Amino acid sequence: MSSVWRCLQILWVFSRYRLDRLIPREYCSRSLALILALGPWRLFPAPPGNRGDAFQKALEELGPIFIKVGQLLSTRPDLLPPDIAIPLSRLQDEVAPFDGAVARAIIERQWQCPIEARVQEFSETPLASASIAQVHTARLPDGQQVVIKVTRPDIRLRIDRDTRLMALLADFVERRVDQGHRLNAPQVVADYRQTILDEMDMPREAANTSQLKRNFSSVADARLLYVPAVHWPLTGDRVFTMERIHGIPISQVDALRSLDVDLKLLAERGVEIFFTQVFRDNFFHADMHPGNIFIDASKPEDPRYIAIDCGIVGSLAEEDQAYLAKNLLAFFRRDYRAVATLHVASGWVPPYTPIGEFEAAIRTACEPIFERPLAEISFAHFLLRLFETARRFEMEVQPQLVLLQKTLVHIEGLGRTLYPELDLWQTAQPYLERWMKSRIGPPGLLQAMRERLPEWLEHSPEVPELVYNALQNIAGSSAVGGHLQYRERQEIGRSRSAGAGRDLTSSRKSAAASQGNAQHRLMEKFIAVTSIVVLALCAGVAGFFVSVTPPWIIWIESNTWLVPSVLPLALWAVVRS
């Protein structure tokens, strides 16, 4: 019943703000045009202002889930007309705030003391306000400036209500819509609901912020991205306190140009930051709309990004990360056959997909945009082509990649606004090639061995017994097979030489000798395999317990060209043993 009432509320807001004006009539079918012409919204006069202002106010009134949609759309001015895109940009950090006195009460209830007992100054006027929370400035007793983020009152109830409605719609799409199963709508909605609930968890956001700051703490990385410090003593379930940052919003491109900021370098660094988060760290900021990204322009020739609001972060499974990197590299190299094969191998399309036809469809979608700057790429046309390809080859939505795809939409929109001449292909391909070499090359293999060595050592006492039991089972089956062969040969001999039976004693001796030989071979195999395992464990233990990198590992890393030569010899020795 509550879902029905919510649907009526949404219809009321749609009608009152006359959102039917957003739908271009020239693209409507006859049935949709008739519905728009006769719907109940025609009873309401058009509100003052343009349709973009009405859309923005309607999304604000409908709540945080709808505001998130508006934030995503606001990053795509290439897809929306200016009278809609510009008002939607206000949803990034200018959502109608709640009363500052209410924010003060929430903070004091969280801290269990008056605000003045913890901070020297506090402003009840919010610095910024968004869908989930709003931010107030404060000054600590030591003079340090901070910002205090406070979640909105009753935000959990509103999110629960709307996500329940989304779940009902997703279930309807799954059951009733043709090919609706490809969308995996119920799983996508469930993941999105958990993502929004995680964004409301202030300690979780603080931990994400600390992790992202640690990932970019080296001197080289700190030139790319700065993340504010967390004040843990002043952080709780509904309150998050962090260092106050000062920068230029990334959407203010004219201000950046007036300071002679190197926009080309800034755009290239943005691509590097994205790929570093996704592939090197496997921990990426997944809410990168312009309200959360600022620019430190104190050195215009060497600008760097400032990231805030880490409430939504993402990571990929190791298999998805590897498949994604291989897909992107194949795409950059225009190896569409490899792209098609990887999609089938990863399960992103059905196994019976015809590779040749799928390759041709990918080539048709991708060739028009290859090696062209962002300004010359029609993102809308590209999306339509991708949707058509997905429908034709029954490509299913991968819920685990939805956050990354959302982030890509943000990133591409930011790059288009910041530096439309950016050649994404030349910028991204070298980074991916370096990452793949570091992952599958000898240094990467050695690093993987170092990481897994403690687990190997933990299970090492069980290895000899497991090897012995396995070899004993093999020898037992061989002995049984040999005994059966012997009995079969015995019967054949009897049939061929009637009356000339074999000596039972010699038969038993032969069987016993055969069994003894099998056991002897078993012990030889066991000794050889155990020796190899012991030698490997000794080498691993030596590397594990040395406080610095062992010299033999340093020598291997500096002479990686020897690995292809030595590996066949090592394998030959193992086989011979």
Side-chain angles (χ1 to χ4, degrees):
M1 190 64 184
S2 60
S3 298
V4 175
W5 176 247
R6 182 56 176 164
C7 288
L8 293 175
Q9 287 181 320
I10 294 172
L11 180 60
W12 169 262
V13 172
F14 182 94
S15 301
R16 189 157 58 90
Y17 286 99
R18 290 297 305 275
L19 298 187
D20 59 297
R21 296 180 296 163
L22 299 173
I23 304 173
R25 298 300 191 271
E26 59 270 22
Y27 299 115
C28 294
S29 62
R30 290 184 178 180
S31 57
L32 179 57
L34 183 62
I35 292 173
L36 291 176
L38 301 178
W41 39 83
R42 302 290 293 183
L43 302 175
F44 292 82
N50 61 37
R51 56 180 182 168
D53 292 327
F55 191 26
Q56 176 232 331
K57 293 175 182 177
L59 293 177
E60 280 194 42
E61 187 172 327
L62 289 172
I65 299 295
F66 295 86
I67 292 173
K68 289 289 184 184
V69 174
Q71 289 175 344
L72 180 62
L73 291 175
S74 70
T75 64
R76 306 303 320 193
D78 56 314
L79 302 181
L80 299 175
D83 66 322
I84 296 178
I86 293 175
L88 289 182
S89 65
R90 294 196 289 267
L91 296 175
Q92 295 164 7
D93 56 5
E94 297 180 19
V95 178
F98 59 93
D99 192 352
V102 175
R104 172 186 283 271
I106 294 174
I107 295 172
E108 291 181 341
R109 186 162 56 250
Q110 182 74 68
W111 291 352
Q112 297 182 349
C113 66
I115 285 183
E116 288 72 18
R118 296 289 189 94
V119 299
Q120 194 173 26
E121 298 177 5
F122 175 78
S123 173
E124 288 192 2
T125 303
L127 177 67
S129 182
S131 58
I132 301 294
Q134 66 186 33
V135 174
H136 295 261
T137 59
R139 185 185 299 274
L140 299 180
D142 61 2
Q144 185 177 357
Q145 291 185 337
V146 296
V147 293
I148 304 175
K149 186 174 182 179
V150 188
T151 58
R152 290 179 173 273
D154 302 326
I155 187 70
R156 177 64 182 261
L157 295 176
R158 304 182 74 180
I159 288 176
D160 284 342
R161 177 190 60 194
D162 286 343
T163 52
R164 278 199 303 269
L165 178 59
M166 292 173 63
L168 290 175
L169 293 175
D171 187 65
F172 176 81
V173 170
E174 179 88 0
R175 294 172 180 271
R176 304 296 183 183
V177 176
D178 183 35
Q179 295 191 6
H181 64 280
R182 294 192 303 103
L183 301 178
N184 284 323
Q187 184 62 47
V188 170
V189 170
D191 291 347
Y192 181 71
R193 179 180 185 278
Q194 189 58 52
T195 298
I196 296 296
L197 294 180
D198 289 343
E199 188 179 6
M200 295 167 47
D201 187 348
M202 293 295 102
R204 187 186 186 95
E205 180 178 344
N208 293 340
T209 304
S210 294
Q211 179 67 54
L212 188 61
K213 185 175 183 65
R214 188 160 55 249
N215 290 347
F216 284 83
S217 59
S218 68
V219 175
D221 290 339
R223 293 181 60 190
L224 302 175
L225 178 68
Y226 182 80
V227 182
V230 176
H231 288 268
W232 284 104
L234 302 181
T235 296
D237 293 339
R238 299 190 60 187
V239 175
F240 172 29
T241 305
M242 62 181 169
E243 167 193 4
R244 184 178 182 181
I245 54 96
H246 298 275
I248 301 173
I250 193 172
S251 57
Q252 297 182 9
V253 180
D254 291 337
L256 296 173
R257 285 199 184 100
S258 67
L259 296 174
D260 293 328
V261 172
D262 190 339
L263 297 182
K264 181 176 184 294
L265 176 62
L266 195 61
E268 291 173 348
R269 285 183 170 178
V271 175
E272 183 176 355
I273 289 170
F274 172 74
F275 281 104
T276 299
Q277 291 183 75
V278 173
F279 293 106
R280 188 195 70 181
D281 302 329
N282 197 15
F283 185 88
F284 57 91
H285 193 308
D287 197 17
M288 299 185 69
H289 63 73
N292 292 336
I293 307 297
F294 297 83
I295 303 300
D296 176 8
S298 56
K299 297 179 180 179
E301 73 286 353
D302 188 28
R304 67 173 174 174
Y305 288 83
I306 303 173
I308 62 171
D309 195 354
C310 299
I312 303 178
V313 298
S315 60
L316 301 175
E318 187 174 348
E319 298 81 8
D320 289 324
Q321 190 185 41
Y323 274 123
L324 181 64
K326 292 174 184 177
N327 267 288
L328 289 173
L329 271 178
F331 170 68
F332 290 150
R333 295 167 180 167
R334 299 194 189 188
D335 187 353
Y336 301 117
R337 167 71 63 162
V339 174
T341 304
L342 284 166
H343 272 68
V344 174
S346 62
W348 295 349
V349 294
Y352 51 78
T353 300
I355 296 296
E357 295 180 20
F358 192 35
E359 175 190 0
I362 295 173
R363 181 184 297 107
T364 303
C366 297
E367 276 296 319
I369 68 171
F370 203 87
E371 290 186 347
R372 296 173 64 188
L374 294 178
E376 297 180 11
I377 297 174
S378 172
F379 191 70
H381 181 75
F382 179 60
L383 280 181
L384 289 175
R385 178 67 71 174
L386 283 183
F387 290 151
E388 179 183 340
T389 302
R391 181 173 61 253
R392 176 184 171 187
F393 292 97
E394 302 180 26
M395 188 183 301
E396 294 187 2
V397 171
Q398 303 298 316
Q400 73 275 18
L401 300 180
V402 168
L403 267 185
L404 180 65
Q405 292 163 345
K406 169 179 173 287
T407 305
L408 277 171
V409 172
H410 281 314
I411 292 293
E412 200 273 343
L414 289 176
R416 186 181 293 270
T417 302
L418 190 65
Y419 187 72
E421 294 78 22
L422 176 68
D423 189 336
L424 183 61
W425 328 114
Q426 291 184 1
T427 306
Q429 183 174 350
Y431 180 88
L432 274 175
E433 289 177 342
R434 289 195 304 269
W435 181 80
M436 287 297 293
K437 288 179 181 178
S438 68
R439 177 184 172 87
I440 64 176
L445 294 176
L446 288 173
Q447 180 62 30
M449 291 175 63
R450 286 176 182 159
E451 293 174 354
R452 297 180 182 180
L453 184 58
E455 182 181 354
W456 294 347
L457 290 175
E458 181 181 355
H459 295 287
S460 59
E462 307 169 10
V463 172
E465 183 178 359
L466 292 174
V467 172
Y468 179 79
N469 291 337
L471 292 176
Q472 193 173 38
N473 291 334
I474 294 172
S477 61
S478 300
V480 171
H483 182 65
L484 291 175
Q485 291 177 1
Y486 169 73
R487 293 293 298 273
E488 190 175 326
R489 288 196 302 269
Q490 190 179 43
E491 293 296 330
I492 294 174
R494 286 174 178 172
S495 64
R496 287 182 177 176
S497 54
R502 293 176 178 264
D503 186 6
L504 182 60
T505 304
S506 64
S507 298
R508 289 177 178 175
K509 287 182 179 180
S510 177
S514 176
Q515 185 176 2
N517 291 335
Q519 291 178 348
H520 182 68
R521 289 194 301 271
L522 169 66
M523 291 306 298
E524 285 182 342
K525 293 178 181 179
F526 174 73
I527 292 171
V529 174
T530 305
S531 300
I532 295 171
V533 171
V534 170
L535 288 174
L537 288 175
C538 289
V541 170
F544 180 73
F545 286 105
V546 175
S547 58
V548 297
T549 303
W552 60 276
I553 287 185
I554 296 176
W555 185 86
I556 290 177
E557 289 179 340
S558 60
N559 295 274
T560 54
W561 59 274
L562 286 173
V563 174
S565 302
V566 175
L567 190 58
L569 294 176
L571 292 175
W572 178 82
V574 171
V575 172
R576 289 286 296 176
S577 64

